[in-house]
Coordinates of all heavy atoms in Angstrom, one line a residue:
S1 N 13.6 -3.8 -14.6 CA 14.5 -4.4 -13.7 C 13.9 -5.6 -13.0 O 12.7 -5.8 -13.0 CB 14.9 -3.3 -12.6 OG 13.8 -3.1 -11.8
R2 N 14.7 -6.4 -12.4 CA 14.2 -7.6 -11.8 C 14.3 -7.5 -10.2 O 15.2 -6.9 -9.7 CB 15.1 -8.8 -12.2 CG 14.8 -9.2 -13.7 CD 15.5 -10.4 -14.0 NE 15.0 -10.8 -15.3 CZ 15.1 -12.1 -15.8 NH1 15.7 -13.0 -15.0 NH2 14.7 -12.4 -16.9
S3 N 13.4 -8.2 -9.6 CA 13.5 -8.3 -8.1 C 13.7 -9.7 -7.8 O 13.0 -10.6 -8.2 CB 12.1 -7.8 -7.5 OG 12.1 -8.1 -6.2
W4 N 14.8 -10.0 -7.0 CA 15.2 -11.3 -6.6 C 14.7 -11.7 -5.2 O 14.8 -10.9 -4.3 CB 16.7 -11.5 -6.7 CG 17.1 -11.5 -8.1 CD1 17.6 -10.4 -8.8 CD2 17.1 -12.5 -9.1 NE1 17.8 -10.7 -10.1 CE2 17.5 -12.0 -10.3 CE3 16.7 -13.9 -9.1 CZ2 17.6 -12.8 -11.5 CZ3 16.8 -14.6 -10.2 CH2 17.3 -14.1 -11.4
M5 N 14.1 -12.8 -5.0 CA 13.7 -13.3 -3.7 C 14.7 -14.4 -3.3 O 15.1 -15.2 -4.0 CB 12.3 -13.9 -3.8 CG 11.2 -13.0 -4.2 SD 9.7 -13.8 -4.2 CE 8.6 -12.5 -4.6
S6 N 14.9 -14.4 -2.0 CA 15.7 -15.4 -1.4 C 14.9 -16.2 -0.4 O 14.3 -15.5 0.5 CB 17.0 -14.8 -0.7 OG 17.7 -15.8 0.0
V7 N 14.8 -17.5 -0.5 CA 14.0 -18.3 0.4 C 15.0 -19.3 1.0 O 15.7 -20.0 0.3 CB 12.9 -19.0 -0.3 CG1 12.1 -19.9 0.7 CG2 11.9 -18.0 -0.9
N8 N 15.0 -19.4 2.3 CA 15.9 -20.3 3.0 C 15.4 -21.7 2.8 O 14.2 -22.1 3.1 CB 15.8 -20.0 4.5 CG 16.7 -20.9 5.4 OD1 17.2 -22.0 4.9 ND2 16.9 -20.6 6.6
S9 N 16.2 -22.6 2.1 CA 15.8 -23.9 1.8 C 15.6 -24.8 3.0 O 15.0 -25.9 2.9 CB 16.8 -24.5 0.9 OG 18.1 -24.7 1.5
Q10 N 16.1 -24.4 4.2 CA 15.9 -25.1 5.4 C 14.6 -24.8 6.1 O 14.2 -25.5 7.0 CB 17.1 -24.9 6.4 CG 18.5 -25.2 5.8 CD 18.6 -26.7 5.3 OE1 18.2 -27.5 6.1 NE2 19.1 -26.9 4.2
A11 N 14.0 -23.8 5.7 CA 12.7 -23.4 6.4 C 11.6 -24.3 6.0 O 11.6 -25.0 5.0 CB 12.3 -21.9 6.0
G12 N 10.6 -24.4 6.8 CA 9.4 -25.2 6.5 C 8.7 -24.7 5.2 O 8.8 -23.5 4.9
T13 N 8.0 -25.6 4.5 CA 7.4 -25.2 3.3 C 5.9 -25.0 3.3 O 5.4 -24.5 2.4 CB 7.7 -26.4 2.2 OG1 7.1 -27.6 2.7 CG2 9.2 -26.5 2.0
R14 N 5.3 -25.3 4.4 CA 3.8 -25.2 4.5 C 3.3 -23.8 4.3 O 2.3 -23.6 3.7 CB 3.3 -25.7 5.8 CG 3.4 -27.2 5.9 CD 2.7 -27.7 7.2 NE 2.8 -29.1 7.3 CZ 3.3 -29.7 8.3 NH1 3.6 -29.0 9.4 NH2 3.4 -31.0 8.3
N15 N 4.1 -22.8 4.7 CA 3.6 -21.4 4.6 C 4.1 -20.6 3.5 O 3.8 -19.5 3.3 CB 3.9 -20.6 5.9 CG 3.1 -21.2 7.1 OD1 2.0 -21.6 7.0 ND2 3.8 -21.2 8.3
R16 N 5.0 -21.2 2.7 CA 5.6 -20.4 1.6 C 4.6 -19.9 0.6 O 4.7 -18.8 0.2 CB 6.7 -21.2 1.0 CG 8.0 -21.2 1.8 CD 9.1 -21.8 1.0 NE 10.2 -22.1 1.9 CZ 11.1 -23.0 1.6 NH1 11.2 -23.5 0.4 NH2 12.1 -23.2 2.5
P17 N 3.8 -20.7 0.0 CA 3.0 -20.2 -1.1 C 2.1 -19.0 -0.6 O 2.1 -18.0 -1.3 CB 2.1 -21.4 -1.6 CG 3.0 -22.5 -1.2 CD 3.7 -22.2 0.1
P18 N 1.4 -19.0 0.5 CA 0.7 -17.9 0.9 C 1.5 -16.7 1.1 O 1.2 -15.5 0.8 CB 0.0 -18.3 2.2 CG -0.1 -19.8 2.1 CD 1.1 -20.2 1.4
I19 N 2.7 -16.9 1.8 CA 3.6 -15.7 2.0 C 4.1 -15.1 0.7 O 4.1 -13.9 0.5 CB 4.8 -16.2 2.9 CG1 4.3 -16.5 4.3 CG2 5.9 -15.1 2.9 CD1 5.4 -17.2 5.2
L20 N 4.4 -16.0 -0.3 CA 4.9 -15.4 -1.6 C 3.8 -14.7 -2.3 O 4.0 -13.6 -2.9 CB 5.4 -16.6 -2.4 CG 6.7 -17.2 -2.0 CD1 7.0 -18.5 -2.8 CD2 7.8 -16.3 -2.0
R21 N 2.6 -15.2 -2.2 CA 1.5 -14.5 -2.9 C 1.2 -13.2 -2.2 O 1.0 -12.2 -2.9 CB 0.2 -15.4 -2.8 CG 0.2 -16.5 -3.8 CD -1.2 -17.1 -3.8 NE -1.0 -18.5 -4.2 CZ -1.3 -19.6 -3.4 NH1 -1.8 -19.4 -2.2 NH2 -1.1 -20.8 -3.8
V22 N 1.2 -13.1 -0.9 CA 1.0 -11.9 -0.2 C 2.2 -10.9 -0.5 O 1.9 -9.7 -0.8 CB 0.9 -12.1 1.3 CG1 1.0 -10.8 2.1 CG2 -0.4 -12.9 1.6
L23 N 3.4 -11.4 -0.6 CA 4.5 -10.5 -0.8 C 4.4 -9.8 -2.2 O 4.6 -8.6 -2.2 CB 5.8 -11.3 -0.8 CG 7.1 -10.5 -1.2 CD1 7.4 -9.5 -0.1 CD2 8.3 -11.5 -1.3
V24 N 4.1 -10.5 -3.2 CA 4.1 -9.9 -4.5 C 2.9 -9.0 -4.7 O 2.8 -8.2 -5.7 CB 4.2 -10.9 -5.7 CG1 5.5 -11.7 -5.6 CG2 3.0 -11.9 -5.7
E25 N 1.9 -9.0 -3.8 CA 0.7 -8.2 -3.9 C 0.8 -6.9 -3.0 O -0.2 -6.2 -2.9 CB -0.5 -9.0 -3.6 CG -0.8 -10.1 -4.7 CD -1.8 -11.1 -4.3 OE1 -2.4 -11.0 -3.2 OE2 -2.0 -12.0 -5.1
Q26 N 1.9 -6.8 -2.3 CA 2.0 -5.6 -1.3 C 2.1 -4.3 -2.1 O 2.7 -4.2 -3.2 CB 3.2 -5.8 -0.5 CG 3.1 -7.0 0.5 CD 2.0 -6.8 1.5 OE1 1.9 -5.8 2.2 NE2 1.1 -7.7 1.5
D27 N 1.6 -3.2 -1.5 CA 1.7 -1.9 -2.0 C 3.1 -1.5 -2.3 O 3.4 -0.7 -3.2 CB 1.0 -0.9 -1.1 CG -0.5 -1.0 -1.2 OD1 -1.0 -1.6 -2.2 OD2 -1.2 -0.5 -0.3
E28 N 4.0 -1.9 -1.4 CA 5.4 -1.5 -1.5 C 6.1 -1.9 -2.8 O 7.1 -1.4 -3.2 CB 6.2 -2.0 -0.3 CG 5.9 -1.4 1.0 CD 4.7 -2.0 1.7 OE1 4.1 -3.0 1.2 OE2 4.3 -1.5 2.8
V29 N 5.5 -3.0 -3.4 CA 6.1 -3.5 -4.7 C 5.2 -3.3 -5.8 O 5.3 -4.0 -6.9 CB 6.6 -4.9 -4.5 CG1 7.8 -5.0 -3.5 CG2 5.5 -5.9 -4.1
R30 N 4.2 -2.4 -5.7 CA 3.2 -2.3 -6.8 C 3.8 -1.8 -8.1 O 3.2 -2.0 -9.2 CB 2.1 -1.3 -6.3 CG 2.5 0.1 -6.2 CD 1.3 1.0 -5.8 NE 1.8 2.3 -5.3 CZ 2.1 2.5 -4.0 NH1 1.9 1.6 -3.1 NH2 2.5 3.7 -3.6
D31 N 5.0 -1.2 -8.1 CA 5.6 -0.7 -9.3 C 6.4 -1.8 -10.0 O 6.9 -1.7 -11.1 CB 6.5 0.5 -9.1 CG 5.7 1.7 -8.7 OD1 4.5 1.8 -9.0 OD2 6.3 2.5 -7.9
F32 N 6.6 -3.0 -9.3 CA 7.4 -4.1 -9.9 C 6.5 -4.8 -10.9 O 5.3 -5.1 -10.6 CB 7.8 -5.1 -8.8 CG 8.9 -4.5 -7.9 CD1 8.8 -3.3 -7.4 CD2 9.9 -5.3 -7.5 CE1 9.8 -2.8 -6.5 CE2 10.9 -4.9 -6.6 CZ 10.8 -3.6 -6.1
E33 N 7.0 -5.1 -12.1 CA 6.2 -5.8 -13.1 C 6.6 -7.3 -13.2 O 5.8 -8.1 -13.7 CB 6.4 -5.1 -14.4 CG 5.9 -3.7 -14.5 CD 6.1 -3.0 -15.8 OE1 6.6 -3.7 -16.7 OE2 5.8 -1.8 -15.9
L34 N 7.8 -7.6 -12.7 CA 8.3 -9.0 -12.8 C 9.0 -9.4 -11.6 O 9.9 -8.6 -11.1 CB 9.2 -9.1 -14.0 CG 9.8 -10.4 -14.4 CD1 8.7 -11.3 -14.9 CD2 10.9 -10.3 -15.5
F35 N 8.7 -10.5 -11.0 CA 9.4 -11.1 -9.9 C 10.2 -12.3 -10.3 O 9.6 -13.1 -11.1 CB 8.4 -11.5 -8.8 CG 7.6 -10.3 -8.3 CD1 6.4 -9.9 -8.8 CD2 8.1 -9.6 -7.2 CE1 5.8 -8.8 -8.4 CE2 7.4 -8.5 -6.6 CZ 6.2 -8.1 -7.2
C36 N 11.4 -12.5 -9.9 CA 12.2 -13.6 -10.3 C 12.7 -14.3 -9.0 O 13.0 -13.7 -8.0 CB 13.4 -13.1 -11.1 SG 13.0 -12.2 -12.5
A37 N 12.9 -15.6 -9.2 CA 13.4 -16.4 -8.0 C 14.4 -17.5 -8.6 O 14.2 -18.0 -9.7 CB 12.3 -17.2 -7.3
G38 N 15.5 -17.7 -7.9 CA 16.5 -18.7 -8.3 C 16.4 -19.8 -7.2 O 16.5 -19.5 -6.0
V39 N 16.3 -21.1 -7.7 CA 16.2 -22.2 -6.8 C 17.2 -23.3 -7.2 O 17.2 -23.5 -8.4 CB 14.7 -22.8 -6.8 CG1 14.6 -24.0 -5.9 CG2 13.7 -21.7 -6.3
E40 N 17.9 -23.9 -6.3 CA 18.7 -25.0 -6.7 C 17.9 -26.1 -7.3 O 16.8 -26.4 -6.7 CB 19.5 -25.5 -5.5 CG 20.5 -24.5 -5.0 CD 21.3 -24.9 -3.7 OE1 20.9 -26.0 -3.2 OE2 22.2 -24.2 -3.3
A41 N 18.3 -26.7 -8.4 CA 17.5 -27.6 -9.1 C 17.1 -28.8 -8.3 O 16.0 -29.4 -8.5 CB 18.3 -28.1 -10.3
D42 N 17.9 -29.2 -7.3 CA 17.5 -30.4 -6.5 C 16.6 -30.0 -5.3 O 16.2 -30.9 -4.5 CB 18.7 -31.1 -6.0 CG 19.6 -30.3 -5.1 OD1 19.4 -29.1 -5.0 OD2 20.5 -30.9 -4.5
N43 N 16.2 -28.7 -5.2 CA 15.3 -28.3 -4.1 C 13.9 -28.3 -4.6 O 13.3 -27.3 -4.9 CB 15.7 -26.9 -3.6 CG 15.0 -26.5 -2.4 OD1 14.0 -27.0 -2.0 ND2 15.6 -25.6 -1.7
V44 N 13.4 -29.5 -4.7 CA 12.0 -29.7 -5.3 C 10.9 -29.0 -4.5 O 10.0 -28.4 -5.1 CB 11.7 -31.2 -5.5 CG1 10.3 -31.5 -6.0 CG2 12.8 -31.9 -6.3
A45 N 11.0 -29.0 -3.2 CA 10.0 -28.4 -2.3 C 9.9 -26.9 -2.6 O 8.8 -26.4 -2.8 CB 10.3 -28.7 -0.9
S46 N 11.1 -26.2 -2.7 CA 11.0 -24.8 -3.0 C 10.5 -24.5 -4.4 O 9.7 -23.5 -4.6 CB 12.4 -24.1 -2.8 OG 12.7 -24.1 -1.4
T47 N 10.9 -25.3 -5.3 CA 10.4 -25.1 -6.7 C 8.9 -25.2 -6.7 O 8.2 -24.4 -7.3 CB 11.1 -26.1 -7.6 OG1 12.5 -25.9 -7.6 CG2 10.6 -25.9 -9.1
R48 N 8.4 -26.2 -6.1 CA 6.9 -26.4 -6.0 C 6.2 -25.3 -5.3 O 5.1 -24.9 -5.7 CB 6.6 -27.8 -5.4 CG 6.9 -28.9 -6.2 CD 6.5 -30.2 -5.6 NE 6.9 -31.3 -6.5 CZ 7.0 -32.6 -6.1 NH1 6.7 -32.9 -4.8 NH2 7.3 -33.5 -6.9
C49 N 6.8 -24.8 -4.3 CA 6.2 -23.6 -3.5 C 6.1 -22.4 -4.4 O 5.1 -21.7 -4.4 CB 7.0 -23.3 -2.3 SG 6.7 -24.6 -1.0
F50 N 7.2 -22.1 -5.1 CA 7.1 -20.9 -6.0 C 6.1 -21.2 -7.1 O 5.3 -20.2 -7.5 CB 8.5 -20.6 -6.6 CG 9.4 -19.8 -5.7 CD1 10.4 -20.4 -5.0 CD2 9.2 -18.5 -5.6 CE1 11.2 -19.7 -4.2 CE2 10.0 -17.7 -4.8 CZ 11.0 -18.3 -4.0
E51 N 6.0 -22.4 -7.7 CA 5.1 -22.6 -8.7 C 3.6 -22.5 -8.2 O 2.8 -22.0 -8.8 CB 5.3 -24.0 -9.3 CG 6.6 -24.1 -10.2 CD 6.9 -25.5 -10.6 OE1 6.6 -26.5 -10.0 OE2 7.6 -25.5 -11.7
A52 N 3.4 -23.0 -6.9 CA 2.1 -22.8 -6.3 C 1.7 -21.4 -6.1 O 0.5 -21.1 -6.0 CB 2.1 -23.6 -5.0
A53 N 2.7 -20.5 -6.0 CA 2.5 -19.1 -5.8 C 2.4 -18.3 -7.1 O 2.4 -17.1 -7.1 CB 3.5 -18.5 -4.9
G54 N 2.3 -19.1 -8.2 CA 2.1 -18.4 -9.5 C 3.4 -18.2 -10.3 O 3.3 -17.5 -11.4
F55 N 4.5 -18.6 -9.8 CA 5.8 -18.5 -10.6 C 5.9 -19.6 -11.6 O 5.4 -20.7 -11.4 CB 7.0 -18.6 -9.7 CG 7.2 -17.3 -8.8 CD1 6.3 -17.1 -7.7 CD2 8.2 -16.5 -9.1 CE1 6.5 -16.0 -6.9 CE2 8.4 -15.4 -8.3 CZ 7.6 -15.1 -7.2
V56 N 6.5 -19.3 -12.8 CA 6.7 -20.3 -13.8 C 8.2 -20.4 -14.2 O 8.9 -19.4 -14.0 CB 5.9 -20.0 -15.1 CG1 4.4 -20.1 -14.8 CG2 6.2 -18.6 -15.7
R57 N 8.6 -21.5 -14.5 CA 10.0 -21.7 -14.9 C 10.4 -21.0 -16.2 O 9.6 -21.0 -17.1 CB 10.3 -23.2 -15.0 CG 10.2 -24.0 -13.8 CD 10.5 -25.4 -14.0 NE 10.1 -26.2 -12.9 CZ 10.5 -27.5 -12.7 NH1 11.3 -28.0 -13.5 NH2 10.0 -28.1 -11.6
E58 N 11.6 -20.4 -16.2 CA 12.1 -19.7 -17.4 C 12.6 -20.8 -18.4 O 12.5 -20.6 -19.6 CB 13.2 -18.7 -17.1 CG 12.7 -17.4 -16.5 CD 13.7 -16.4 -16.5 OE1 14.8 -16.6 -15.9 OE2 13.5 -15.3 -17.0
A59 N 13.1 -21.9 -17.8 CA 13.6 -23.0 -18.7 C 13.3 -24.3 -18.0 O 13.2 -24.3 -16.7 CB 15.1 -22.8 -18.9
D60 N 13.2 -25.4 -18.7 CA 13.0 -26.7 -18.1 C 14.2 -27.3 -17.4 O 14.1 -28.1 -16.5 CB 12.5 -27.7 -19.2 CG 11.1 -27.3 -19.7 OD1 10.3 -26.7 -18.9 OD2 10.8 -27.6 -20.9
Q61 N 15.4 -26.9 -17.9 CA 16.6 -27.4 -17.4 C 17.4 -26.4 -16.6 O 17.3 -25.2 -16.9 CB 17.6 -27.9 -18.5 CG 16.9 -29.0 -19.4 CD 16.7 -30.2 -18.6 OE1 17.6 -30.7 -17.8 NE2 15.6 -30.9 -18.8
P62 N 18.1 -26.8 -15.5 CA 18.9 -25.8 -14.7 C 20.0 -25.2 -15.5 O 20.4 -25.8 -16.6 CB 19.4 -26.7 -13.6 CG 19.3 -28.1 -14.0 CD 18.2 -28.2 -15.0
D63 N 20.5 -24.1 -15.1 CA 21.7 -23.4 -15.8 C 23.0 -24.2 -15.4 O 22.9 -25.2 -14.7 CB 21.7 -22.0 -15.4 CG 22.1 -21.6 -14.0 OD1 22.4 -22.6 -13.2 OD2 22.1 -20.4 -13.6
C64 N 24.1 -23.6 -15.8 CA 25.4 -24.3 -15.6 C 25.8 -24.4 -14.1 O 26.7 -25.1 -13.8 CB 26.5 -23.6 -16.4 SG 26.8 -21.8 -15.9
E65 N 25.1 -23.6 -13.3 CA 25.4 -23.6 -11.8 C 24.3 -24.5 -11.1 O 24.3 -24.5 -9.9 CB 25.4 -22.2 -11.3 CG 26.6 -21.4 -11.8 CD 26.6 -20.0 -11.3 OE1 25.5 -19.5 -10.8 OE2 27.6 -19.3 -11.4
G66 N 23.5 -25.1 -11.8 CA 22.5 -26.0 -11.2 C 21.3 -25.3 -10.6 O 20.6 -25.8 -9.7
M67 N 21.0 -24.1 -11.2 CA 19.9 -23.3 -10.7 C 18.7 -23.2 -11.7 O 18.9 -23.2 -12.9 CB 20.3 -21.8 -10.4 CG 21.4 -21.7 -9.4 SD 20.9 -22.1 -7.7 CE 19.8 -20.7 -7.4
L68 N 17.5 -23.3 -11.1 CA 16.3 -23.1 -11.9 C 15.8 -21.7 -11.6 O 15.9 -21.2 -10.5 CB 15.2 -24.1 -11.5 CG 15.4 -25.5 -11.9 CD1 14.3 -26.4 -11.3 CD2 15.4 -25.7 -13.4
Y69 N 15.4 -21.0 -12.6 CA 14.9 -19.6 -12.4 C 13.4 -19.6 -12.7 O 12.9 -20.2 -13.7 CB 15.6 -18.6 -13.2 CG 17.1 -18.5 -12.8 CD1 18.1 -19.3 -13.4 CD2 17.4 -17.8 -11.7 CE1 19.4 -19.2 -13.0 CE2 18.7 -17.7 -11.2 CZ 19.7 -18.5 -11.9 OH 21.0 -18.4 -11.4
L70 N 12.6 -19.0 -11.8 CA 11.2 -18.9 -12.0 C 10.8 -17.4 -12.0 O 11.4 -16.6 -11.3 CB 10.5 -19.6 -10.8 CG 10.8 -21.1 -10.7 CD1 11.9 -21.4 -9.7 CD2 9.5 -21.9 -10.3
I71 N 9.8 -17.1 -12.7 CA 9.3 -15.7 -12.8 C 7.8 -15.6 -12.6 O 7.1 -16.6 -12.8 CB 9.6 -15.1 -14.2 CG1 9.0 -15.8 -15.3 CG2 11.1 -15.0 -14.4 CD1 9.1 -15.2 -16.7
R72 N 7.4 -14.5 -12.1 CA 6.0 -14.2 -12.0 C 5.8 -12.8 -12.5 O 6.4 -11.8 -11.9 CB 5.5 -14.4 -10.6 CG 4.0 -14.0 -10.4 CD 3.5 -14.2 -9.0 NE 2.2 -13.5 -8.9 CZ 1.4 -13.8 -7.9 NH1 1.6 -14.7 -7.0 NH2 0.2 -13.1 -7.8
E73 N 4.9 -12.6 -13.5 CA 4.6 -11.2 -14.0 C 3.4 -10.7 -13.2 O 2.5 -11.4 -12.8 CB 4.3 -11.3 -15.4 CG 5.5 -11.6 -16.3 CD 5.3 -11.5 -17.7 OE1 4.9 -10.4 -18.2 OE2 5.4 -12.5 -18.4
R74 N 3.5 -9.4 -12.9 CA 2.4 -8.8 -12.3 C 1.2 -8.8 -13.2 O 1.3 -8.6 -14.4 CB 2.7 -7.3 -11.9 CG 1.5 -6.6 -11.3 CD 1.7 -5.4 -10.6 NE 2.8 -5.4 -9.6 CZ 2.7 -5.9 -8.4 NH1 1.6 -6.5 -8.0 NH2 3.7 -5.9 -7.6
Q75 N 0.0 -9.2 -12.6 CA -1.2 -9.2 -13.4 C -1.8 -7.8 -13.3 O -2.1 -7.3 -12.3 CB -2.1 -10.3 -12.8 CG -1.4 -11.6 -12.7 CD -2.2 -12.7 -13.1 OE1 -3.4 -12.6 -13.1 NE2 -1.6 -13.8 -13.4
T76 N -2.0 -7.2 -14.5 CA -2.6 -5.9 -14.5 C -4.0 -6.1 -15.2 O -4.2 -6.9 -16.1 CB -1.8 -4.9 -15.3 OG1 -1.6 -5.4 -16.6 CG2 -0.5 -4.7 -14.6
V77 N -4.9 -5.2 -14.7 CA -6.3 -5.2 -15.3 C -6.5 -3.9 -15.9 O -6.3 -2.8 -15.2 CB -7.3 -5.6 -14.2 CG1 -8.7 -5.5 -14.7 CG2 -7.0 -6.9 -13.6
D78 N -7.0 -3.8 -17.1 CA -7.4 -2.6 -17.7 C -8.9 -2.4 -17.5 O -9.7 -2.9 -18.2 CB -7.0 -2.6 -19.2 CG -7.4 -1.3 -19.9 OD1 -7.9 -0.3 -19.2 OD2 -7.1 -1.2 -21.1
Y79 N -9.2 -1.7 -16.4 CA -10.6 -1.5 -16.1 C -11.4 -0.7 -17.1 O -12.5 -0.9 -17.3 CB -10.7 -0.9 -14.7 CG -10.3 -1.8 -13.6 CD1 -9.0 -1.6 -12.9 CD2 -11.0 -2.8 -13.1 CE1 -8.6 -2.4 -11.9 CE2 -10.6 -3.7 -12.1 CZ -9.4 -3.5 -11.5 OH -9.0 -4.3 -10.6
G80 N -10.7 0.2 -17.8 CA -11.3 1.0 -18.8 C -11.8 0.2 -19.9 O -12.9 0.4 -20.5
A81 N -11.1 -0.9 -20.3 CA -11.5 -1.8 -21.4 C -12.6 -2.7 -21.0 O -13.4 -3.1 -21.9 CB -10.3 -2.6 -21.9
T82 N -12.8 -3.0 -19.8 CA -13.8 -4.0 -19.4 C -15.1 -3.3 -18.9 O -16.1 -4.0 -18.8 CB -13.3 -4.9 -18.2 OG1 -12.9 -4.1 -17.1 CG2 -12.1 -5.7 -18.7
R83 N -15.0 -2.0 -18.6 CA -16.2 -1.3 -18.1 C -17.0 -0.8 -19.2 O -16.5 -0.2 -20.2 CB -15.7 -0.1 -17.3 CG -16.6 0.3 -16.2 CD -16.1 1.5 -15.4 NE -15.1 1.0 -14.4 CZ -14.3 1.8 -13.8 NH1 -14.3 3.1 -14.0 NH2 -13.5 1.3 -12.9
Q84 N -18.3 -1.1 -19.2 CA -19.2 -0.6 -20.2 C -20.2 0.4 -19.5 O -20.7 0.2 -18.4 CB -20.0 -1.7 -20.8 CG -19.1 -2.6 -21.6 CD -20.0 -3.7 -22.3 OE1 -21.2 -3.7 -22.2 NE2 -19.3 -4.6 -22.9
R85 N -20.5 1.5 -20.2 CA -21.4 2.5 -19.6 C -22.6 2.6 -20.5 O -22.6 2.5 -21.6 CB -20.7 3.9 -19.5 CG -19.6 3.8 -18.5 CD -18.9 5.1 -18.3 NE -17.9 4.9 -17.4 CZ -17.6 5.8 -16.4 NH1 -18.3 6.9 -16.3 NH2 -16.6 5.6 -15.6

């Protein structure tokens, strides 16, 4: 399943990347494997903020409604594979 984030395009952009990074790392969403965001194509500041927080565009061009979609997959670490005894 997908989790959608909504970011007010009128809000300041300085704090967005840290907030987004913190949000996707919270215990409450630890079972989420994929985070998705929709941003209006002309909202360059929000697009850059999501990209700075580790989100990548699903496509280079906006969809028929003028939206860009960005995703961030949860990074998992297999400690058993990296641990040597």
